[in-house]
Amino acid sequence: TSPFAWLRTRFYYLLIRLYFDQEFSIEEFTRGAKQAFSVVSKLLSQRKLDLLEELVSAEVLQVLKEKISLLPDSHRDALAADIDAIMYTTEGDVRIYYDDDGIKFVSILMCFWYLNGANLPDEVPGEAKVFQIVFGDENTKEKKHLLTANYEFQREFTEGAKPDWTITRIEHPRLLD
């Protein structure tokens, strides 16, 4: 991340703590986002979309239902991320905004890099290379792919709103395109 982007996100975290939630901690949020990413990605992989209704916005869920049904098994398997297989997590964009009715929202885009052993082709659509990592020796080598995913979490901070974060965007580049 650039120093400007890092400083900007830290400023937004300060605003969240000052004006919306004095208990907000990016470390705690990141832990929760990793857990949510792991659970949601596994449910997507297993086509258990009905279990996502409380976690994912209705609009995103509708798009996912269409895309998941068209995926080959190898791509669907590659969506699943075990929490221990998440290699790196970082925040992307942080936004604070109000809608026309004065309802306050905060959204945080999280970027995840994870290892997955799905049987993906070396080249996937879009002429993009998938990183492959081989573990073990010649007799026991195991090929894993380093994949990325972007999940946007949104929470309403209007007085009386439920204190739940909802996933409002799910992107698995090269898999769910």
Side-chain angles (χ1 to χ4, degrees):
T1 340
S2 74
F4 176 74
W6 183 88
L7 191 57
R8 181 179 171 271
T9 57
R10 294 311 177 262
F11 176 70
Y12 275 112
Y13 297 147
L14 176 64
L15 291 177
I16 292 168
R17 285 185 64 112
L18 289 174
Y19 296 106
F20 299 108
D21 181 3
Q22 289 81 24
E23 309 278 320
F24 180 80
S25 157
I26 190 56
E27 294 80 15
E28 186 177 321
F29 176 84
T30 300
R31 276 192 299 277
K34 284 172 73 171
Q35 289 176 340
F37 165 61
S38 179
V39 168
V40 169
S41 68
K42 288 177 187 175
L43 291 172
L44 284 173
S45 175
Q46 298 164 0
R47 292 188 178 147
K48 295 182 178 178
L49 302 179
D50 54 323
L51 298 177
L52 295 176
E53 289 179 8
E54 295 294 316
L55 303 171
V56 178
S57 72
E59 298 83 14
V60 170
L61 197 53
Q62 184 59 40
V63 171
L64 288 172
K65 285 179 181 177
E66 295 168 12
K67 288 184 176 185
I68 294 291
S69 66
L70 302 173
L71 282 183
D73 288 344
S74 61
H75 283 66
R76 193 173 37 82
D77 293 343
L79 295 174
D82 287 324
I83 197 155
D84 295 334
I86 300 171
M87 305 309 299
Y88 183 71
T89 304
T90 188
E91 314 93 41
D93 195 23
V94 178
R95 293 182 293 146
I96 298 172
Y97 56 95
Y98 298 81
D99 73 1
D100 293 337
D101 298 323
I103 299 174
K104 301 179 263 190
F105 293 96
V106 171
S107 67
I108 301 174
L109 179 67
M110 296 297 292
C111 307
F112 303 97
W113 284 262
Y114 64 102
L115 291 175
N116 183 288
N119 188 20
L120 291 173
D122 290 343
E123 293 287 333
V124 290
E127 299 177 14
K129 196 77 164 152
V130 174
F131 294 101
Q132 296 178 13
I133 302 167
V134 178
F135 295 97
D137 59 22
E138 281 301 313
N139 299 328
T140 62
K141 68 180 174 181
E142 177 185 8
K143 183 167 73 169
K144 297 235 180 198
H145 299 278
L146 181 61
L147 302 169
T148 62
N150 302 310
Y151 281 46
E152 183 177 61
F153 296 83
Q154 183 182 81
R155 179 176 166 194
E156 181 182 342
F157 278 94
T158 308
E159 179 112 10
K162 291 196 315 190
D164 299 332
W165 290 90
T166 303
I167 298 170
T168 56
R169 181 169 49 164
I170 294 177
E171 297 172 341
H172 283 263
R174 299 178 210 104
L175 298 174
L176 276 177
D177 290 337

